[in-house]
């Protein structure tokens, strides 16, 4: 949907906009946007071990699961009406290296997680995060050489990762690295290997953001030196986001994403008007943490703030929302009012 000219001319007292706000019934009748459980992509963290779920300290009420428990969680999410998850694997320190070797292990945690989830809940759409940082001894999204992040060498590894996830049964791969040319390389490789139906959701406009902090706590994946500003985008730019999204569309992405969400709603709007693909937005860990923390202090109503943030994404033009609030918001949507 694009902006419309508002041609409202009727003047007071004939025109009283409040008539359309006087009851829940009329408000719901004229609501311009709405949310449903299938709009959400649920980010899930998986860790090695058995029968354990560990709360992430900077993400209250959010957990890292061992795979056995994660499978049950995915079943529950599906029963509630959510239709898509995106997986992130927590990699033990000793398995990390500069080339992210563990990322392409066919029996790695991510690959096992995809297989087991698709086995247990085949109707759930499974997406995988394709990025090297949880596997990198430097905590960067690419191969490091002389303090620099190499582009083309990283794209090669990321492409192998995407193939490995497709082999395991992922429905979509979601590259979150911001290397140049990776969508083209992945699409070509997927086609060559016969994975014609494996989709790509590209983190097209991903900003170098402080709002990823809690996520990096969850995966212990913070960069060991420097920052991510040579590959993730500068928060001051919006034209560049359009460029990135259009490049990814041309290179064969099926869905483009803007990330983070709340401080970048203008970017969501701009991108949604510039590509002919579904646009997703990532309501990232720091945005979740802010609302949760304020709610815990009693400084705002957490549930209302959550719903208001989520509808804000739809209003800005997002078709899909990756959010840690997915389950909570779904429960709220299912309540009969
Ligand atoms: C990995 C990745 C990150 C997030 C998603 N994929 C962290 C980063 O780029 O540093 C952040 C998600 C969040 O904060 O919720 N590249």
């Amino acid at each position: 949907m694009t902006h419309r000219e508002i041609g409202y001319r009727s003047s007071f007292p004939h025109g009283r906009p409040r008539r359309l706000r006087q009851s829940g019934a009329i408000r719901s009748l004229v609501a311009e946007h709405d949310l449903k459980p299938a709009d959400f992509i649920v980010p899930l963290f998986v860790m090695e071990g058995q029968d354990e779920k560990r709360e992430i300290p900077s993400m209250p009420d959010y957990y890292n699961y061992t795979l056995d428990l994660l499978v049950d969680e995915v079943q529950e999410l599906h029963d509630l009406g959510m239709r898509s998850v995106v997986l992130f694997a927590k990699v033990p320190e000793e398995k990390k290296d500069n080339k992210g070797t563990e990322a392409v292990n066919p029996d790695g945690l991510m690959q096992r997680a995809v297989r087991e989830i698709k086995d247990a809940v085949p109707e759930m759409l499974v997406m995988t995060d394709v990025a090297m940082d949880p596997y990198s001894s430097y905590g960067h999204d690419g191969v490091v050489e002389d303090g620099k992040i190499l582009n083309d060498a990283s794209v090669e590894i990321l492409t192998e990762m995407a193939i490995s996830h497709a082999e395991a049964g992922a429905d979509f791969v979601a590259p979150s690295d911001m290397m140049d040319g990776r969508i083209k390389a992945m699409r070509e490789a997927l086609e060559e290997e016969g994975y014609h139906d494996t989709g790509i959701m590209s983190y097209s406009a991903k900003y170098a953001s402080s709002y990823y902090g809690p996520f990096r706590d969850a995966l212990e994946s913070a960069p060991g030196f420097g920052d991510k500003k040579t590959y993730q985008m500068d928060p001051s730019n919006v034209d560049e986001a359009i460029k990135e999204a259009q490049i990814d569309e041309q290179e064969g992405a099926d869905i483009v994403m803007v990330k983070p969400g709340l401080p970048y709603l203008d970017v969501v709007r701009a991108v949604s008007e510039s590509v002919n693909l579904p646009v997703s937005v990532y309501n990232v860990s720091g945005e979740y943490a802010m609302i949760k923390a304020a709610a815990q202090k009693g400084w705002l109503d957490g549930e209302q703030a959550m719903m208001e943030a989520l509808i804000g994404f739809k209003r800005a033009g997002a078709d899909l929302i990756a959010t840690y609030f997915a389950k909570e918001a779904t429960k709220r949507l299912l309540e009969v009012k």
Side-chain angles (χ1 to χ4, degrees):
M1 204 183 75
T2 54
H3 281 309
R4 285 166 295 176
E5 290 295 320
I6 305 291
Y8 197 83
R9 279 193 195 83
S10 170
S11 59
F12 186 82
H14 301 137
R16 289 182 186 263
R18 286 185 57 194
R19 282 191 205 111
L20 294 178
R21 294 180 211 137
Q22 61 189 314
S23 68
I26 188 65
R27 287 193 297 273
S28 65
L29 195 65
V30 300
E32 295 177 38
H33 298 92
D34 59 6
L35 290 163
K36 57 184 190 303
D39 291 333
F40 302 132
I41 301 169
V42 192
L44 294 172
F45 299 112
V46 61
M47 61 181 180
E48 293 285 4
Q50 266 231 307
D51 196 26
E52 201 189 337
K53 91 184 227 204
R54 201 180 295 161
E55 192 173 22
I56 298 157
S58 47
M59 299 178 71
D61 306 325
Y62 219 78
Y63 298 86
N64 208 329
Y65 295 90
T66 54
L67 184 48
D68 50 340
L69 297 191
L70 188 67
V71 170
D72 299 341
E73 176 67 13
V74 172
Q75 182 66 59
E76 192 186 330
L77 296 171
H78 192 269
D79 292 344
L80 285 167
M82 281 154 278
R83 292 293 177 260
S84 167
V85 297
V86 59
L87 303 180
F88 299 92
K90 184 171 190 315
V91 184
E93 260 336 283
E94 65 275 11
K95 291 199 174 155
K96 299 184 181 185
D97 63 24
N98 188 23
K99 294 200 157 158
T101 312
E102 177 62 15
V104 296
N105 176 358
D107 285 315
L109 182 55
M110 177 67 99
Q111 288 80 356
R112 275 182 281 134
V114 173
R115 280 198 294 269
E116 288 197 24
I117 290 170
K118 285 306 291 185
D119 240 23
V121 197
E123 315 78 38
M124 185 66 102
L125 190 94
V126 173
M127 301 190 175
T128 54
D129 189 63
V130 176
M132 287 174 61
D133 50 335
Y135 300 91
S136 156
S137 38
Y138 292 105
H140 274 290
D141 295 53
V143 181
V144 178
E145 198 178 281
D146 300 329
K148 286 196 171 164
I149 316 303
L150 303 183
N151 192 84
D152 299 9
S154 305
V155 168
E156 269 182 42
I157 295 170
L158 291 160
T159 302
E160 278 179 51
M161 240 178 123
I163 295 294
S164 163
H165 294 176
E167 234 162 45
D171 299 294
F172 265 73
V173 291
S176 67
D177 53 284
M178 290 302 280
M179 297 299 125
D180 293 331
R182 87 263 213 228
I183 302 304
K184 180 166 185 270
M186 280 177 203
R187 189 68 263 160
E188 278 173 358
L190 288 166
E191 292 300 319
E192 262 167 41
E193 300 285 329
Y195 296 111
H196 309 294
D197 295 331
T198 308
I200 301 178
M201 178 172 76
S202 177
Y203 289 66
S204 299
K206 176 169 176 178
Y207 289 84
S209 170
S210 59
Y211 288 84
Y212 309 147
F215 173 98
R216 293 176 188 169
D217 285 347
L219 293 189
E220 290 173 11
S221 63
F225 71 88
D227 51 40
K228 299 193 174 186
K229 290 180 184 166
T230 67
Y231 43 107
Q232 298 180 347
M233 286 176 48
D234 184 330
S236 69
N237 297 351
V238 62
D239 288 348
E240 191 185 3
I242 296 173
K243 175 172 80 179
E244 286 281 7
Q246 290 179 339
I247 289 173
D248 287 352
E249 182 174 33
Q250 285 160 17
E251 290 189 8
D254 300 285
I255 300 173
V256 293
M257 182 189 268
V258 173
K259 176 186 177 185
L262 292 178
Y264 296 90
L265 294 179
D266 60 318
V267 180
V268 174
R269 165 60 53 198
V271 167
S272 74
E273 289 178 359
S274 313
V275 295
N276 286 309
L277 294 175
V279 175
S280 62
V281 62
Y282 201 137
N283 177 212
V284 301
S285 57
E287 301 167 38
Y288 175 86
M290 286 196 302
I291 290 179
K292 282 284 174 181
Q296 280 186 343
K297 280 185 170 282
W299 288 353
L300 49 70
D301 181 319
E303 278 211 349
Q304 282 180 25
M306 162 181 82
M307 297 312 280
E308 192 175 331
L310 294 173
I311 200 69
F313 294 128
K314 295 297 279 296
R315 198 184 61 242
D319 302 293
L320 319 164
I321 308 166
T323 177
Y324 304 96
F325 286 122
K327 190 175 176 185
E328 239 180 294
T330 293
K331 286 186 173 165
R332 169 99 187 212
L333 289 170
L334 296 176
E335 277 168 22
V336 183
K337 282 178 216 98

